[in-house]
Amino acid sequence: PAKPLPKADREYVLVGSEWYLTNDGKAEPAGIDMQKARHLEPDYVTWNGFAGQYKDHPLVAEKGEVVRFYVVAAGPSFDLDFHVVGTLLDKVYVDGTTTNVWRNVQTMLVPAGGGMVFDTTFAEDGLYPVVSHSFASVDLGQVGLVRVGDATGTMSH
């Protein structure tokens, strides 16, 4: 943006995508299955191209830090409803600008092909799920964790 965003302590980029595959890609490269795409029936919905990767390898933060998420809904078809379970999004920079800032938002729509910037802080140590608030997308892999402090364990959905 023309006016820079305020400083954040940590920054993460999350690109949301859905994958419509012709096969599992193990014996031969997978292609796009247009029949599945036309019916909006993805095999996976992901953050940064890998289903569930941030469940197994959580993003990290410390209590009280400003954590910034640059979130892109790459689609090709699904919007995403960005939500960090257990905390509010302190600031939402709509379309990444400093001229349209929402405060204390629980869930925010990011349209397919669009992007937003989100700042949050975590008041307590713990495991905080990061999702698109579409349970079908969570079940297909668009779920992760932020591990704040020395929290242990994992999650299920």
Side-chain angles (χ1 to χ4, degrees), residues 58-73:
L59 304 172
V60 296
E62 294 297 328
K63 187 169 44 175
E65 288 183 324
V66 175
V67 180
R68 178 165 295 143
F69 295 95
Y70 297 89
V71 178
V72 176

Side-chain angles (χ1 to χ4, degrees), residues 17-157:
S17 303
E18 70 264 16
W19 301 88
Y20 306 93
L21 304 176
T22 54
N23 60 57
D24 66 9
K26 292 178 182 174
E28 62 182 295
I32 186 169
D33 184 322
M34 288 306 297
Q35 182 76 5
K36 290 179 186 176
R38 284 187 198 98
H39 289 103
L40 299 175
E41 295 175 344
D43 295 280
Y44 301 100
V45 183
T46 64
W47 293 123
N48 298 342
F50 295 91
Q53 70 175 315
Y54 300 120
K55 277 177 48 182
D56 300 330
H57 306 285
L59 304 172
V60 296
E62 294 297 328
K63 187 169 44 175
E65 288 183 324
V66 175
V67 180
R68 178 165 295 143
F69 295 95
Y70 297 89
V71 178
V72 176
S77 300
F78 287 2
D79 298 335
L80 64 86
D81 299 303
F82 188 69
H83 180 66
V84 181
V85 179
T87 191
L88 290 175
L89 302 167
D90 301 327
K91 293 181 183 174
V92 177
Y93 300 95
V94 178
D95 293 327
T97 71
T98 56
T99 57
N100 189 1
V101 181
W102 292 22
R103 295 181 186 279
N104 301 319
V105 176
Q106 222 173 34
T107 302
M108 185 73 179
L109 172 71
V110 181
M116 304 267 182
V117 181
F118 302 92
D119 286 353
T120 193
T121 55
F122 298 93
E124 302 292 331
D125 287 354
L127 297 172
Y128 294 82
V130 178
V131 299
S132 176
H133 214 285
S134 155
F135 291 126
S137 294
V138 167
D139 193 49
L140 291 171
Q142 194 172 58
V143 59
L145 292 171
V146 177
R147 181 184 314 275
V148 178
D150 292 326
T152 59
T154 187
M155 66 164 283
S156 63
H157 59 280

